[in-house]
Amino acid sequence: MSVALQTDRHRTAPPDESRFRLRQHGLRCTPGRLHILTLLAASGRHLSIAEVREELTRTGNAIHPATAYRTLETLTTAGLVHAGHGPGPARYGITGEPHHHTVC
């Protein structure tokens, strides 16, 4: 089952919304940024880099591991995405969406 369909909320983030958010933060709209931002918004939960790559590969939008790391760092630095650190790998989610932290 895809990550995007595992959520109770069947929301989608159209690429146009992701494009707008990237431009709003002064970032270029590269395919990797668009795919990752759209995926995180549609998933409704925090994803690890491995989950991001797995889902993008499943949907035919595979990206190199280094590109995934750099893209998530860029989106985090810009404030579009935040990283949750705790036991296990870092997990990334859309900034500004309601969420709770299991590790403070």
Side-chain angles (χ1 to χ4, degrees):
M1 181 182 286
S2 78
V3 172
L5 297 178
Q6 290 177 357
T7 178
D8 293 335
R9 301 175 293 183
H10 291 288
R11 325 180 275 143
T12 58
D16 288 341
E17 181 182 325
S18 295
R19 193 177 316 276
F20 173 77
R21 293 186 77 194
L22 287 167
R23 287 185 179 142
Q24 207 174 26
H25 285 81
L27 297 174
R28 289 185 316 120
C29 297
T30 65
R33 290 175 184 171
L34 286 170
H35 293 311
I36 289 176
L37 195 57
T38 301
L39 171 63
L40 288 175
S43 74
R45 63 189 190 99
H46 292 67
L47 304 175
S48 69
I49 290 176
E51 290 170 326
V52 167
R53 291 194 59 242
E54 180 181 304
E55 184 64 17
L56 291 179
T57 298
R58 190 194 68 72
T59 60
N61 298 308
I63 60 174
H64 191 275
T67 302
Y69 283 98
R70 283 193 311 267
T71 299
L72 285 165
E73 262 315 297
T74 299
L75 296 175
T76 300
T77 300
L80 287 164
V81 170
H82 62 270
H85 301 281
R91 303 184 74 76
Y92 297 85
I94 296 294
T95 299
E97 288 191 346
H99 65 280
H100 63 277
H101 294 278
T102 55
V103 178
C104 293

